């Protein structure tokens, strides 16, 4: 498995688009995150979107979701991740939208808790997606139920998700497709002791990678340092499982970003490369601000994606960005690179760019 797919430096493949943006142009985004629904069959303890779900449960209507995919294809967007917010497969239009995107040559990814798939759907997903990642966050049924808190544990449980993971692996082998199947694991006080147990289990089933990230607590009620340091022993042990077909991937930079108040960039520019469509069919400036009216760019029920992307409301939202008030950003490295290139337009000689 090629680990470059997890590197922030992949943004360098889009230098021509970045230079367009830095010159004042407004190309369509390279990538788009879509939350088809904010309904969820689980109630994870750390979920960042519980409050917005409780106040406004909704899903993107089928006709709008399919239209947005069409618009993104015409605009030249290269990839769409169907994620949440909620569980994307609770919107019945998600699989047709994935199929439509795939038919237009757009690469698609699915981030799911994995409970709503079955053998037939797993085959469909493997045929049409470029990657699939299950958010499991546990190595045992008891821990899974304690932290994911499925609403119907008799039919939606750890064993069911492991079965669906097996279906995905079987379909991938049968179709002979290079499609990474990953497991997401949020490191939390209630699950960190199961890191090795989980890593070993998912390798045995046939996943391609096991991604570890620290839990994000916006109100700082959890000590990230304490949790992550306690987890280190289990992470280090899990790294011994790495081989050519399976990788344990602790995302250390996410811990660094959460813990550091320093930003090594002077402006946010990543929003020009990555669009975010919320479950309420509105376009948002950033994935961290889904549901925040201040960063709402427009309503896809009323306007086209193109009109919103080029519209005045988006310009106002961009102007209102205050980095001092932004939460921890998973796109920090992207912003550092874009900011460096932007400064280089003016200070090229001082940067000594030709001395490599």
């Amino acid at each position: 498995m090629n680990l470059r797919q997890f590197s922030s430096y992949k943004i360098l493949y889009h230098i021509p688009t970045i230079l367009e943006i830095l010159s004042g142009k407004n190309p369509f985004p390279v990538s788009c995150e879509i939350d088809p629904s904010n309904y969820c069959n689980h109630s994870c303890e750390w979920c960042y979107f519980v409050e917005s779900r409780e106040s406004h449960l909704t899903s993107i209507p089928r006709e709008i979701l399919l239209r947005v995919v069409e618009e993104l294809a015409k605009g030249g967007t290269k990839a769409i991740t169907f994620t949440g917010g909620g569980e994307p497969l609770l919107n019945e239009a998600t699989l047709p939208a994935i199929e439509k995107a795939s038919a237009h040559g757009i690469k698609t990814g699915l981030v799911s808790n994995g409970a709503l798939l079955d053998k037939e759907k797993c085959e469909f997903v493997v045929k049409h997606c470029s990657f699939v990642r299950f958010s499991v966050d546990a190595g045992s049924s008891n821990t899974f139920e304690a932290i994911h808190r499925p609403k119907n544990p008799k039919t939606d449980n750890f064993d069911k998700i492991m079965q669906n993971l097996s279906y995905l692996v079987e379909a991938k082998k049968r179709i002979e497709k290079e499609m990474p199947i990953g497991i997401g694991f949020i490191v939390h006080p209630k699950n960190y002791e199961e890191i090795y147990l989980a890593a070993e289990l998912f390798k045995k089933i046939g996943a391609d990678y096991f991604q570890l990230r620290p839990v994000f607590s916006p109100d700082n009620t959890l000590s990230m340092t304490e949790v992550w340091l306690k987890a280190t022993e289990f992470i280090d042990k899990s790294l011994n499982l790495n081989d050519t077909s399976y990788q344990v991937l602790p995302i250390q930079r996410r811990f660094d970003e959460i813990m550091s108040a320093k930003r090594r960039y002077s402006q946010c520019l990543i929003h020009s490369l990555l669009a975010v469509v919320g479950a309420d069919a509105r376009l948002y400036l950033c994935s961290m601000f889904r549901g925040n009216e201040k960063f709402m760019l427009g309503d896809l029920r009323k306007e086209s994606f193109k009109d919103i992307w080029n519209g005045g409301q988006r310009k106002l939202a961009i102007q209102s960005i205050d980095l001092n008030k932004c939460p921890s950003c998973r796109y920090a490295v992207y912003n550092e690179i874009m900011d460096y290139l932007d400064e280089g337009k003016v200070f090229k000689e001082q940067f000594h760019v030709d001395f490599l």
Side-chain angles (χ1 to χ4, degrees):
M1 186 181 66
N2 192 337
L3 297 181
R4 288 177 178 268
Q5 65 188 291
F6 301 101
S7 171
S8 297
Y9 293 114
K10 61 188 174 183
I11 193 175
L12 295 172
Y13 284 99
H14 303 289
I15 288 289
T17 306
I18 293 171
L19 294 178
E20 274 192 68
I21 293 164
L22 298 181
S23 69
K25 296 179 182 177
N26 189 37
F28 254 50
V30 169
S31 185
C32 183
E33 289 185 3
I34 298 179
D35 296 351
S37 176
N38 67 5
Y39 286 85
C40 197
N41 50 320
H42 294 181
S43 184
C44 298
E45 193 165 317
W46 54 76
C47 183
Y48 190 72
F49 302 102
V50 168
E51 196 172 304
S52 61
R53 274 209 303 271
E54 289 176 350
S55 62
H56 187 47
L57 283 169
T58 187
S59 293
I60 302 176
R62 179 189 178 98
E63 65 275 12
I64 293 176
L65 183 55
L66 297 179
R67 171 171 62 79
V68 168
V69 170
E70 288 274 0
E71 283 196 74
L72 290 170
K74 289 178 181 177
T77 294
K78 299 179 185 298
I80 299 174
T81 302
F82 293 88
T83 182
E87 167 51 49
L89 294 177
L90 279 168
N91 187 331
E92 293 181 356
T94 297
L95 293 182
I98 288 173
E99 185 175 31
K100 179 176 280 290
S102 177
H104 281 293
I106 295 179
K107 298 180 178 71
T108 61
L110 175 66
V111 180
S112 166
N113 58 43
L116 301 179
L117 291 167
D118 54 31
K119 194 169 186 177
E120 183 179 353
K121 289 176 181 175
C122 284
E123 183 132 351
F124 176 95
V125 166
V126 170
K127 284 181 179 178
H128 294 289
C129 287
S130 296
F131 79 88
V132 178
R133 186 170 73 244
F134 282 5
S135 302
V136 183
D137 312 301
S140 70
S141 180
N142 287 342
T143 298
F144 175 81
E145 287 196 23
I147 60 178
H148 263 246
R149 302 182 296 198
K151 296 173 182 176
N152 190 354
K154 289 185 178 179
T155 57
D156 178 354
N157 53 51
F158 188 75
D159 291 339
K160 169 77 181 299
I161 293 167
M162 295 306 99
Q163 181 64 71
N164 287 339
L165 179 60
S166 296
Y167 288 149
L168 271 181
V169 172
E170 290 166 7
K172 177 183 171 179
K173 290 178 180 176
R174 186 166 55 253
I175 296 170
E176 297 182 344
K177 181 179 178 181
E178 287 294 324
M179 186 206 74
I181 297 171
I183 302 297
F185 191 104
I186 299 291
V187 178
H188 182 274
K190 293 184 179 179
N191 68 3
Y192 72 88
E193 292 183 343
E194 289 194 353
I195 288 173
Y196 182 78
L197 176 68
E200 194 174 39
L201 172 64
F202 299 129
K203 179 176 183 176
K204 183 178 179 180
I205 294 174
D208 295 295
Y209 68 89
F210 178 60
Q211 185 189 74
L212 295 141
R213 291 176 292 136
V215 64
F216 175 60
S217 174
D219 55 3
N220 293 316
T221 55
L222 290 171
S223 170
M224 307 305 158
T225 302
E226 183 180 350
V227 174
W228 194 248
L229 289 177
K230 284 182 178 179
T232 300
E233 171 191 349
F234 302 95
I235 293 173
D236 289 346
K237 184 180 178 183
S238 299
L239 290 171
N240 293 322
L241 296 169
N242 285 359
D243 56 29
T244 56
S245 62
Y246 182 74
Q247 292 288 320
V248 174
L249 300 166
I251 310 299
Q252 178 65 34
R253 63 180 169 81
R254 287 298 292 131
F255 173 78
D256 296 339
E257 288 156 6
I258 288 172
M259 295 311 300
S260 175
K262 295 180 180 178
R263 297 187 189 276
R264 294 183 290 271
Y265 52 94
S266 61
Q267 57 186 328
C268 175
L269 294 167
I270 187 60
H271 56 75
S272 297
L273 289 177
L274 175 64
V276 177
V277 177
D280 54 4
R282 293 174 168 185
L283 202 59
Y284 289 93
L285 186 67
C286 170
S287 59
M288 296 301 293
F289 295 128
R290 294 177 179 101
N292 187 322
E293 290 288 330
K294 180 180 178 181
F295 297 102
M296 194 274 289
L297 311 181
D299 192 334
L300 289 160
R301 298 170 191 263
K302 302 173 183 177
E303 300 177 82
S304 69
F305 185 99
K306 182 178 180 180
D307 286 345
I308 295 172
W309 193 251
N310 294 317
Q313 194 165 335
R314 178 167 175 257
K315 292 176 183 176
L316 289 173
I318 292 170
Q319 291 168 7
S320 73
I321 296 173
D322 182 350
L323 293 182
N324 294 319
K325 296 180 180 178
C326 282
S328 163
C329 182
R330 63 186 171 118
Y331 297 109
V333 177
Y334 294 135
N335 274 324
E336 288 172 25
I337 293 170
M338 294 181 75
D339 194 42
Y340 181 88
L341 291 170
D342 193 32
E343 287 186 1
K345 291 185 307 180
V346 180
F347 301 110
K348 183 178 178 182
E349 291 308 313
Q350 290 94 320
F351 278 13
H352 283 212
V353 297
D354 297 324
F355 289 98
L356 301 178

